[in-house]
Amino acid sequence: MSENIIIAGAGHAAGQVAVSLRQGNFDGRITIVGEEPYLPYQRPPLSKAFLAGDMELDRLLIRHERYYQEHDVDIRLGTRVESIDRPGRSVRLSSGDQLDYDRLVIATGSRPRRVEMPGVDLEGVHYLRTIEDVERMRPDFKAGNNLVIVGAGYIGLEVAAVAAKRGLKVTVVEMAERVMSRVVCPEVSQFFEKAHREAGVDIRCSRDPKSELLGKGHVDRLRGADGVEILADMVCIGVGILPNTEIAEAAGLDCQNGILVDEYCRTNDPHILAVGDCTNHPNSLLGRRLRLESVHNAQEQAKTAAATIIGELKPYAQIPWFWSDQYDLKLQIVGIGGTHDRVVLRGEPDERSFAAFYMEGNRLIAVDAINRPREFMLSKKLIAQGARFDPETLADTSIEFKSLADAALS
Ligand code: FAD
């Protein structure tokens, strides 16, 4: 098999596609084209250890340069794929080059959703997606400074945790009535709000979004719609992401909240696949389509796409999972809630170790585990197999979770 593969984008999924192709003994040409100046790297530490200064840039990389050299993977960094010529099976790059492909893998990821707020272009206002974004934040990210975070999603809260530990004075403003409202149940939101308040973070929910940022050249405060002002030496905005689908759309590929792919990561063009944050894919275990923003999805879709290219069709069907680190709290989420009719708590929020089980009737559909790795690990299988539980037994911590899981699976 000596096809010529181009990978558009050089992020987590792109790196994994190249690695999986070579692991699968693919001996064709592989070229990765990425607009950032870095080799494929993992983003989670950008709002955790890397932001805290506890991790070297080198350790973010999925593979070091030597790997790509030894495995004959050509990487063109600082270069955008500008357009796709589907009939001619080639891509045009920002360098002016044109590259032919037998198969193209689109791995363009996503970008932060921008807010329309007066003053958003002032210096000191940041979004967080790349290494360069973190480097830009560093000069103001110092003890004693006032940091305002717009958006209490997981990225905003992770930044809040790192900043509070560093000694910044942190205020989080959120439009919704509770933190992480898009991903966790009210009980878990309340728990994290309390943890942040105990760490000195000022959390302000239910805010009118019509705020403005003020300052002369550099931001110095946020003024809310109610006229209340919050001092800000820097502002970090984290209000969600948008999938990078533009080159796919311009090429006429089917897109709808992401590039539409099947369970083998194939688009509606037989010569083009897509993986990671930029896709919208079917999940047979959940019986619906999803667009996910997670490392697990980026890695697993990349493996699926590589298998498809090699000719070993393996459908991608897994229960999604995700994690977030805030202070000493590891939140691990497995499954997708939303259709649940009740939440059962197991363990003690006050002991900073508990799990919230999302039930649809007696069927387990999702779990938020806080410092509960066992519940998280076992729940992956339980959810995939549609395990059923008596809610009262599930809440009873005098019974080992492993025994409950074994009984449900037998
Ligand atoms: P990306 O990693 O975004 O890579 C896409 C790359 O393609 C980018 O470098 C982009 O510049 C490039 N690109 C785009 N368009 C073009 C083009 N036309 N030509 C060339 N290059 C292009 N997930 C978790 O599971 N757990 C976490 O704790 C977690 N924490 C996170 C913290 C932060 C701060 C961020 C930003 C993300 C976090 N995520 C986390 C999400 C996770 O990092 C993403 O889901 C993952 O990076 C998606 O990988 P990807 O390859 O699809 O996209």
Side-chain angles (χ1 to χ4, degrees):
M1 151 111 32
S2 57
E3 279 188 323
N4 180 15
I5 307 298
I6 305 279
I7 305 173
H12 211 128
Q16 185 65 50
V17 171
V19 169
S20 296
L21 280 171
R22 288 298 184 231
Q23 281 172 346
N25 298 322
F26 173 80
D27 63 3
R29 283 181 60 186
I30 305 175
T31 307
I32 301 181
V33 183
E35 67 181 341
E36 286 186 69
Y38 299 100
L39 291 171
Y41 64 90
Q42 33 162 346
R43 290 177 205 278
L46 299 185
S47 49
K48 308 178 184 78
F50 186 67
L51 178 64
D54 295 339
M55 191 181 198
E56 298 292 320
L57 195 152
D58 211 37
R59 286 192 46 217
L60 295 178
L61 302 180
I62 310 272
R63 289 286 194 281
H64 288 105
E65 194 167 2
R66 217 178 56 211
Y67 173 89
Y68 299 102
Q69 286 162 356
E70 286 173 359
H71 292 81
D72 198 17
V73 177
D74 182 14
I75 304 211
R76 302 192 184 201
L77 299 175
T79 309
R80 264 185 74 76
V81 171
E82 296 289 2
S83 60
I84 306 166
D85 172 5
R86 285 173 55 199
R89 264 192 253 158
S90 67
V91 289
R92 183 158 299 283
L93 310 186
S94 52
S95 59
D97 290 344
Q98 180 184 314
L99 300 180
D100 296 337
Y101 62 80
D102 295 310
R103 263 178 299 176
L104 170 68
V105 183
I106 303 178
T108 46
S110 54
R111 61 181 182 279
R113 185 189 292 276
R114 305 275 152 177
V115 295
E116 284 181 27
M117 187 192 280
V120 76
D121 294 325
L122 287 167
E123 263 180 59
V125 180
H126 303 271
Y127 293 88
L128 178 47
R129 182 77 198 173
T130 64
I131 290 175
E132 285 177 336
D133 292 337
V134 178
E135 300 300 356
R136 270 192 292 269
M137 286 169 69
R138 290 214 195 275
D140 289 325
F141 200 76
K142 53 186 185 215
N145 267 0
N146 293 292
L147 165 64
V148 172
I149 296 172
V150 177
Y154 71 89
I155 290 184
L157 293 183
E158 287 179 352
V159 172
V162 173
K165 267 177 96 175
R166 171 70 63 90
L168 283 88
K169 289 174 252 169
V170 187
T171 308
V172 180
V173 294
E174 166 61 52
M175 219 167 74
E177 59 185 19
R178 58 189 177 86
V179 304
M180 293 190 287
S181 60
R182 212 164 54 90
V183 284
V184 299
C185 61
E187 292 85 344
V188 174
S189 291
Q190 273 164 26
F191 170 79
F192 276 93
E193 278 176 39
K194 185 163 174 267
H196 279 278
R197 291 209 167 98
E198 283 168 2
V201 174
D202 181 356
I203 304 249
R204 305 188 188 183
C205 291
S206 304
R207 299 277 300 187
D208 187 324
K210 287 191 246 39
S211 321
E212 55 183 328
L213 296 170
L214 302 168
K216 290 198 178 78
H218 195 286
V219 70
D220 58 30
R221 62 202 192 281
L222 176 142
R223 182 189 290 151
D226 53 4
V228 173
E229 295 191 350
I230 307 169
L231 291 179
D233 297 299
M234 65 185 294
V235 171
C236 184
I237 303 176
V239 292
I241 58 138
L242 295 172
N244 291 325
T245 56
E246 287 74 8
I247 57 168
E249 281 176 54
L253 294 175
D254 291 343
C255 295
Q256 204 180 357
N257 185 26
I259 303 169
L260 292 181
V261 293
D262 66 9
E263 61 273 49
Y264 304 104
C265 297
R266 300 179 297 202
T267 68
N268 59 310
D269 180 325
H271 297 280
I272 305 182
L273 299 93
V275 292
D277 277 16
C278 65
T279 69
N280 183 314
H281 65 275
N283 185 312
S284 58
L285 295 174
L286 302 174
R288 63 185 167 106
R289 283 192 158 270
L290 300 167
R291 179 174 64 74
L292 294 172
E293 305 156 15
S294 74
V295 163
H296 169 239
N297 179 58
Q299 279 178 330
E300 294 305 315
Q301 275 198 314
K303 291 178 192 168
T304 301
T308 302
I309 290 169
I310 291 165
E312 295 167 3
L313 291 182
K314 288 184 196 149
Y316 172 56
Q318 297 193 22
I319 297 297
W321 61 265
F322 186 83
W323 80 96
S324 173
D325 297 331
Q326 298 168 38
Y327 310 105
D328 58 331
L329 304 167
K330 181 171 275 298
L331 166 66
Q332 292 170 300
I333 300 178
V334 54
I336 308 269
T339 54
H340 59 284
D341 44 46
R342 82 158 90 174
V343 172
V344 177
L345 293 191
R346 180 179 170 83
E348 264 310 309
D350 284 346
E351 287 166 14
R352 293 171 92 81
S353 167
F354 70 104
F357 293 84
Y358 296 67
M359 313 294 293
E360 211 178 70
N362 281 355
R363 194 165 65 90
L364 180 64
I365 60 164
V367 179
D368 301 336
I370 293 95
N371 290 344
R372 286 265 177 171
R374 173 168 295 238
E375 273 83 344
F376 166 69
M377 288 307 295
L378 291 170
S379 294
K380 286 184 186 172
K381 197 168 172 193
L382 292 167
I383 295 169
Q385 302 205 353
R388 291 175 183 277
F389 291 94
D390 164 43
E392 271 167 35
T393 319
L394 196 52
D396 184 350
T397 48
S398 70
I399 311 171
E400 276 275 312
F401 188 65
K402 174 91 173 58
S403 323
L404 287 176
D406 287 346
L409 291 173
S410 63

